[in-house]
Amino acid sequence: MNATTERIKDELKVLPVEDRAELARFLIESLDDGSDDDAEAAWDAELARRMAEIENGTAVFVPAEEVFAQLRAKYP
């Protein structure tokens, strides 16, 4: 990184957590170059499929405790 970036980083470290979080959100959002129509359509289809499973009674639910236990075992 260049000197300007390092200087800005040093100045930002002293900001309150809320301000740094707001800036982080801004920076992450600024990286988004637009929406991906194919991804949006795929998510819409996936959500519709999952909703249909729930409504039809065919969805398989896993208790949150079990999911978290599996994640903890996989990522110790």
Side-chain angles (χ1 to χ4, degrees):
M1 290 189 189
N2 64 38
T4 302
T5 303
E6 290 299 327
R7 180 183 54 75
I8 291 170
K9 284 172 50 181
D10 288 338
E11 290 178 19
L12 294 176
K13 280 192 277 189
V14 299
L15 289 175
V17 171
E18 296 83 13
D19 291 346
R20 287 182 296 168
E22 183 178 337
L23 285 168
R25 278 191 293 277
F26 165 77
L27 289 172
I28 290 169
E29 288 173 1
S30 75
L31 297 174
D32 188 6
D33 60 354
S35 66
D36 182 343
D37 292 335
D38 291 336
E40 296 241 358
W43 273 114
D44 287 344
E46 179 65 14
L47 291 171
R49 183 188 67 76
R50 292 182 186 193
M51 195 63 181
E53 285 182 355
I54 292 169
E55 291 171 347
N56 296 332
T58 59
V60 177
F61 296 99
V62 179
E65 297 82 19
E66 186 178 327
V67 172
F68 292 131
Q70 290 173 1
L71 288 171
R72 281 189 210 95
K74 186 173 182 177
Y75 303 103

